[in-house]
Short mmCIF file of all heavy atoms in Angstrom, two decimals:
data_model
loop_
_atom_site.label_atom_id
_atom_site.label_comp_id
_atom_site.label_asym_id
_atom_site.label_seq_id
_atom_site.Cartn_x
_atom_site.Cartn_y
_atom_site.Cartn_z
N ALA J 1430 -13.25 37.71 -51.67
CA ALA J 1430 -12.78 36.87 -52.78
C ALA J 1430 -13.12 35.43 -52.47
O ALA J 1430 -12.97 34.97 -51.34
CB ALA J 1430 -11.28 37.04 -52.98
N GLY J 1431 -13.55 34.70 -53.48
CA GLY J 1431 -13.97 33.32 -53.30
C GLY J 1431 -12.81 32.35 -53.17
O GLY J 1431 -11.64 32.71 -53.31
N THR J 1432 -13.16 31.11 -52.89
CA THR J 1432 -12.15 30.05 -52.78
C THR J 1432 -11.43 29.87 -54.11
O THR J 1432 -12.04 29.89 -55.17
CB THR J 1432 -12.84 28.73 -52.39
OG1 THR J 1432 -13.56 28.93 -51.18
CG2 THR J 1432 -11.82 27.62 -52.20
N GLY J 1433 -10.11 29.70 -54.03
CA GLY J 1433 -9.33 29.45 -55.23
C GLY J 1433 -8.68 30.68 -55.83
O GLY J 1433 -7.88 30.57 -56.77
N VAL J 1434 -9.00 31.85 -55.28
CA VAL J 1434 -8.39 33.08 -55.79
C VAL J 1434 -6.92 33.17 -55.39
O VAL J 1434 -6.09 33.72 -56.11
CB VAL J 1434 -9.17 34.32 -55.29
CG1 VAL J 1434 -8.41 35.61 -55.58
CG2 VAL J 1434 -10.55 34.37 -55.95
N GLY J 1435 -6.58 32.61 -54.25
CA GLY J 1435 -5.22 32.70 -53.75
C GLY J 1435 -5.02 33.96 -52.91
O GLY J 1435 -4.10 34.74 -53.15
N LYS J 1436 -5.90 34.13 -51.94
CA LYS J 1436 -5.91 35.37 -51.17
C LYS J 1436 -4.64 35.58 -50.35
O LYS J 1436 -4.13 36.70 -50.26
CB LYS J 1436 -7.14 35.38 -50.24
CG LYS J 1436 -8.48 35.40 -50.98
CD LYS J 1436 -9.64 35.49 -50.02
CE LYS J 1436 -9.90 34.20 -49.28
NZ LYS J 1436 -10.35 33.11 -50.17
N SER J 1437 -4.14 34.52 -49.73
CA SER J 1437 -2.98 34.70 -48.83
C SER J 1437 -1.76 35.21 -49.59
O SER J 1437 -1.04 36.08 -49.10
CB SER J 1437 -2.66 33.40 -48.09
OG SER J 1437 -2.35 32.37 -49.00
N LEU J 1438 -1.53 34.73 -50.80
CA LEU J 1438 -0.42 35.25 -51.61
C LEU J 1438 -0.71 36.67 -52.08
O LEU J 1438 0.18 37.51 -52.13
CB LEU J 1438 -0.17 34.35 -52.82
CG LEU J 1438 0.60 33.05 -52.58
CD1 LEU J 1438 0.78 32.30 -53.90
CD2 LEU J 1438 1.95 33.31 -51.95
N ALA J 1439 -1.99 36.93 -52.41
CA ALA J 1439 -2.35 38.24 -52.94
C ALA J 1439 -2.15 39.36 -51.92
O ALA J 1439 -1.86 40.50 -52.29
CB ALA J 1439 -3.81 38.23 -53.42
N TYR J 1440 -2.30 39.06 -50.63
CA TYR J 1440 -2.06 40.12 -49.65
C TYR J 1440 -0.67 40.04 -49.03
O TYR J 1440 -0.09 41.07 -48.69
CB TYR J 1440 -3.14 40.14 -48.56
CG TYR J 1440 -3.23 38.96 -47.64
CD1 TYR J 1440 -2.23 38.66 -46.72
CD2 TYR J 1440 -4.37 38.14 -47.63
CE1 TYR J 1440 -2.33 37.59 -45.85
CE2 TYR J 1440 -4.48 37.07 -46.76
CZ TYR J 1440 -3.46 36.79 -45.88
OH TYR J 1440 -3.57 35.73 -45.02
N SER J 1441 -0.13 38.83 -48.87
CA SER J 1441 1.13 38.73 -48.13
C SER J 1441 2.32 39.25 -48.92
O SER J 1441 3.19 39.93 -48.35
CB SER J 1441 1.38 37.29 -47.69
OG SER J 1441 1.38 36.40 -48.79
N ILE J 1442 2.37 38.98 -50.23
CA ILE J 1442 3.53 39.46 -51.00
C ILE J 1442 3.58 40.99 -51.05
O ILE J 1442 4.60 41.59 -50.71
CB ILE J 1442 3.53 38.87 -52.43
CG1 ILE J 1442 3.60 37.35 -52.36
CG2 ILE J 1442 4.71 39.41 -53.23
CD1 ILE J 1442 3.47 36.67 -53.72
N PRO J 1443 2.51 41.68 -51.46
CA PRO J 1443 2.56 43.15 -51.47
C PRO J 1443 2.79 43.74 -50.07
O PRO J 1443 3.52 44.72 -49.92
CB PRO J 1443 1.19 43.56 -52.03
CG PRO J 1443 0.68 42.37 -52.74
CD PRO J 1443 1.23 41.19 -52.01
N ALA J 1444 2.14 43.15 -49.05
CA ALA J 1444 2.26 43.68 -47.69
C ALA J 1444 3.69 43.57 -47.19
O ALA J 1444 4.24 44.52 -46.62
CB ALA J 1444 1.30 42.95 -46.76
N ILE J 1445 4.32 42.41 -47.39
CA ILE J 1445 5.70 42.22 -46.91
C ILE J 1445 6.66 43.11 -47.68
O ILE J 1445 7.55 43.75 -47.10
CB ILE J 1445 6.10 40.73 -47.04
CG1 ILE J 1445 5.24 39.88 -46.10
CG2 ILE J 1445 7.59 40.55 -46.72
CD1 ILE J 1445 5.39 38.39 -46.30
N SER J 1446 6.49 43.15 -49.00
CA SER J 1446 7.35 44.01 -49.81
C SER J 1446 7.22 45.47 -49.39
O SER J 1446 8.21 46.20 -49.25
CB SER J 1446 6.98 43.86 -51.29
OG SER J 1446 7.72 44.75 -52.09
N MET J 1447 5.99 45.91 -49.14
CA MET J 1447 5.74 47.29 -48.72
C MET J 1447 6.36 47.57 -47.35
O MET J 1447 6.97 48.62 -47.12
CB MET J 1447 4.23 47.54 -48.67
CG MET J 1447 3.84 48.96 -48.35
SD MET J 1447 4.04 50.07 -49.75
CE MET J 1447 2.88 49.35 -50.91
N ALA J 1448 6.19 46.62 -46.41
CA ALA J 1448 6.73 46.80 -45.07
C ALA J 1448 8.25 46.90 -45.08
O ALA J 1448 8.84 47.74 -44.40
CB ALA J 1448 6.29 45.65 -44.17
N LEU J 1449 8.89 46.06 -45.87
CA LEU J 1449 10.35 46.11 -45.95
C LEU J 1449 10.82 47.42 -46.56
O LEU J 1449 11.82 48.00 -46.13
CB LEU J 1449 10.87 44.92 -46.77
CG LEU J 1449 10.63 43.53 -46.16
CD1 LEU J 1449 11.06 42.44 -47.12
CD2 LEU J 1449 11.36 43.39 -44.82
N ALA J 1450 10.09 47.91 -47.57
CA ALA J 1450 10.46 49.17 -48.21
C ALA J 1450 10.25 50.36 -47.27
O ALA J 1450 11.02 51.32 -47.30
CB ALA J 1450 9.65 49.36 -49.49
N ARG J 1451 9.25 50.28 -46.42
CA ARG J 1451 8.91 51.40 -45.54
C ARG J 1451 9.50 51.27 -44.14
O ARG J 1451 9.26 52.13 -43.28
CB ARG J 1451 7.39 51.55 -45.45
CG ARG J 1451 6.71 51.80 -46.80
CD ARG J 1451 5.25 52.16 -46.66
NE ARG J 1451 5.07 53.40 -45.91
CZ ARG J 1451 3.89 53.99 -45.68
NH1 ARG J 1451 2.79 53.42 -46.17
NH2 ARG J 1451 3.82 55.10 -44.99
N GLY J 1452 10.23 50.19 -43.89
CA GLY J 1452 10.86 50.01 -42.59
C GLY J 1452 9.89 49.76 -41.46
O GLY J 1452 10.10 50.20 -40.33
N THR J 1453 8.79 49.05 -41.76
CA THR J 1453 7.82 48.73 -40.72
C THR J 1453 7.56 47.23 -40.73
O THR J 1453 8.32 46.46 -41.31
CB THR J 1453 6.51 49.53 -40.95
OG1 THR J 1453 5.64 49.32 -39.84
CG2 THR J 1453 5.81 49.11 -42.22
N ARG J 1454 6.49 46.82 -40.07
CA ARG J 1454 6.19 45.39 -39.96
C ARG J 1454 4.77 45.09 -40.42
O ARG J 1454 3.93 45.98 -40.53
CB ARG J 1454 6.37 44.90 -38.51
CG ARG J 1454 7.79 45.12 -38.00
CD ARG J 1454 8.10 44.20 -36.84
NE ARG J 1454 7.57 44.69 -35.59
CZ ARG J 1454 7.64 44.02 -34.43
NH1 ARG J 1454 8.19 42.83 -34.40
NH2 ARG J 1454 7.15 44.53 -33.33
N VAL J 1455 4.52 43.80 -40.68
CA VAL J 1455 3.20 43.33 -41.10
C VAL J 1455 2.62 42.46 -40.00
O VAL J 1455 3.29 41.55 -39.50
CB VAL J 1455 3.27 42.50 -42.40
CG1 VAL J 1455 1.87 41.99 -42.78
CG2 VAL J 1455 3.86 43.31 -43.53
N LEU J 1456 1.38 42.73 -39.62
CA LEU J 1456 0.66 41.90 -38.67
C LEU J 1456 -0.52 41.27 -39.41
O LEU J 1456 -1.39 41.98 -39.91
CB LEU J 1456 0.16 42.73 -37.49
CG LEU J 1456 -0.74 42.04 -36.46
CD1 LEU J 1456 -0.05 40.81 -35.88
CD2 LEU J 1456 -1.13 43.01 -35.35
N ILE J 1457 -0.51 39.94 -39.51
CA ILE J 1457 -1.60 39.20 -40.17
C ILE J 1457 -2.41 38.50 -39.10
O ILE J 1457 -1.88 37.69 -38.34
CB ILE J 1457 -1.05 38.17 -41.17
CG1 ILE J 1457 -0.17 38.85 -42.22
CG2 ILE J 1457 -2.19 37.40 -41.84
CD1 ILE J 1457 0.55 37.87 -43.15
N SER J 1458 -3.69 38.81 -39.03
CA SER J 1458 -4.57 38.21 -38.03
C SER J 1458 -5.59 37.32 -38.73
O SER J 1458 -6.23 37.72 -39.70
CB SER J 1458 -5.28 39.30 -37.23
OG SER J 1458 -6.15 38.72 -36.27
N THR J 1459 -5.74 36.09 -38.22
CA THR J 1459 -6.69 35.14 -38.80
C THR J 1459 -7.70 34.72 -37.73
O THR J 1459 -7.53 35.00 -36.54
CB THR J 1459 -5.97 33.88 -39.32
OG1 THR J 1459 -5.64 33.04 -38.21
CG2 THR J 1459 -4.71 34.23 -40.09
N ALA J 1460 -8.72 34.00 -38.16
CA ALA J 1460 -9.73 33.52 -37.22
C ALA J 1460 -9.50 32.06 -36.84
O ALA J 1460 -9.95 31.62 -35.78
CB ALA J 1460 -11.13 33.68 -37.81
N THR J 1461 -8.82 31.30 -37.70
CA THR J 1461 -8.70 29.87 -37.47
C THR J 1461 -7.24 29.44 -37.34
O THR J 1461 -6.34 30.02 -37.93
CB THR J 1461 -9.34 29.07 -38.62
OG1 THR J 1461 -8.64 29.38 -39.85
CG2 THR J 1461 -10.80 29.44 -38.78
N VAL J 1462 -7.04 28.38 -36.57
CA VAL J 1462 -5.70 27.80 -36.40
C VAL J 1462 -5.21 27.23 -37.73
O VAL J 1462 -4.03 27.33 -38.05
CB VAL J 1462 -5.73 26.70 -35.32
CG1 VAL J 1462 -4.39 25.98 -35.24
CG2 VAL J 1462 -6.08 27.31 -33.96
N ALA J 1463 -6.14 26.66 -38.52
CA ALA J 1463 -5.75 26.05 -39.79
C ALA J 1463 -5.07 27.06 -40.71
O ALA J 1463 -4.04 26.75 -41.34
CB ALA J 1463 -6.97 25.44 -40.47
N LEU J 1464 -5.61 28.26 -40.78
CA LEU J 1464 -5.02 29.28 -41.65
C LEU J 1464 -3.70 29.77 -41.07
O LEU J 1464 -2.73 30.03 -41.81
CB LEU J 1464 -5.99 30.45 -41.83
CG LEU J 1464 -5.51 31.57 -42.76
CD1 LEU J 1464 -5.05 31.01 -44.11
CD2 LEU J 1464 -6.62 32.60 -42.98
N GLN J 1465 -3.62 29.89 -39.76
CA GLN J 1465 -2.34 30.27 -39.14
C GLN J 1465 -1.25 29.26 -39.50
O GLN J 1465 -0.13 29.64 -39.87
CB GLN J 1465 -2.49 30.31 -37.61
CG GLN J 1465 -3.18 31.55 -37.08
CD GLN J 1465 -3.21 31.55 -35.57
OE1 GLN J 1465 -3.71 30.61 -34.95
NE2 GLN J 1465 -2.68 32.57 -34.97
N GLU J 1466 -1.58 27.99 -39.39
CA GLU J 1466 -0.59 26.95 -39.69
C GLU J 1466 -0.21 26.96 -41.17
O GLU J 1466 0.96 26.74 -41.52
CB GLU J 1466 -1.14 25.58 -39.29
CG GLU J 1466 -1.27 25.42 -37.77
CD GLU J 1466 -1.85 24.08 -37.37
OE1 GLU J 1466 -2.43 23.40 -38.26
OE2 GLU J 1466 -1.75 23.71 -36.18
N GLN J 1467 -1.18 27.23 -42.03
CA GLN J 1467 -0.87 27.32 -43.46
C GLN J 1467 0.11 28.45 -43.74
O GLN J 1467 1.07 28.29 -44.49
CB GLN J 1467 -2.15 27.54 -44.26
CG GLN J 1467 -1.90 27.76 -45.77
CD GLN J 1467 -3.14 28.24 -46.51
OE1 GLN J 1467 -4.23 27.74 -46.26
NE2 GLN J 1467 -2.98 29.22 -47.38
N LEU J 1468 -0.13 29.59 -43.10
CA LEU J 1468 0.75 30.74 -43.31
C LEU J 1468 2.16 30.49 -42.77
O LEU J 1468 3.15 30.74 -43.45
CB LEU J 1468 0.15 31.98 -42.64
CG LEU J 1468 -1.09 32.59 -43.31
CD1 LEU J 1468 -1.77 33.58 -42.37
CD2 LEU J 1468 -0.71 33.27 -44.61
N VAL J 1469 2.23 30.00 -41.54
CA VAL J 1469 3.53 29.86 -40.87
C VAL J 1469 4.32 28.66 -41.39
O VAL J 1469 5.55 28.72 -41.49
CB VAL J 1469 3.31 29.75 -39.34
CG1 VAL J 1469 4.61 29.41 -38.63
CG2 VAL J 1469 2.76 31.06 -38.80
N ASN J 1470 3.63 27.59 -41.73
CA ASN J 1470 4.33 26.36 -42.13
C ASN J 1470 4.49 26.20 -43.64
O ASN J 1470 5.34 25.41 -44.09
CB ASN J 1470 3.60 25.14 -41.57
CG ASN J 1470 3.56 25.13 -40.06
OD1 ASN J 1470 4.49 25.58 -39.41
ND2 ASN J 1470 2.47 24.62 -39.49
N LYS J 1471 3.72 26.95 -44.42
CA LYS J 1471 3.76 26.75 -45.87
C LYS J 1471 4.01 28.06 -46.63
O LYS J 1471 5.03 28.21 -47.31
CB LYS J 1471 2.45 26.11 -46.35
CG LYS J 1471 2.39 25.86 -47.85
CD LYS J 1471 1.03 25.28 -48.24
CE LYS J 1471 0.92 25.13 -49.76
NZ LYS J 1471 -0.43 24.65 -50.16
#
């Protein structure tokens, strides 16, 4: 998906909702520190 699609919301909301419903956890792996900080801080 290209820039501006909103990928982090598109995967994080369904993944977290699914994990909570199934009693498991979500592991999100990124390549850059910038994206890690965006996820954790924003």
Side-chain angles (χ1 to χ4, degrees):
T1432 304
V1434 169
K1436 296 184 286 294
S1437 60
L1438 282 181
Y1440 65 68
S1441 57
I1442 300 174
I1445 295 171
S1446 176
M1447 184 76 63
L1449 294 175
R1451 301 189 62 177
T1453 187
R1454 300 202 279 176
V1455 178
L1456 174 57
I1457 302 173
S1458 179
T1459 77
T1461 61
V1462 173
L1464 182 52
Q1465 283 183 303
E1466 291 178 344
Q1467 175 191 318
L1468 288 166
V1469 172
N1470 298 326
K1471 180 183 176 183

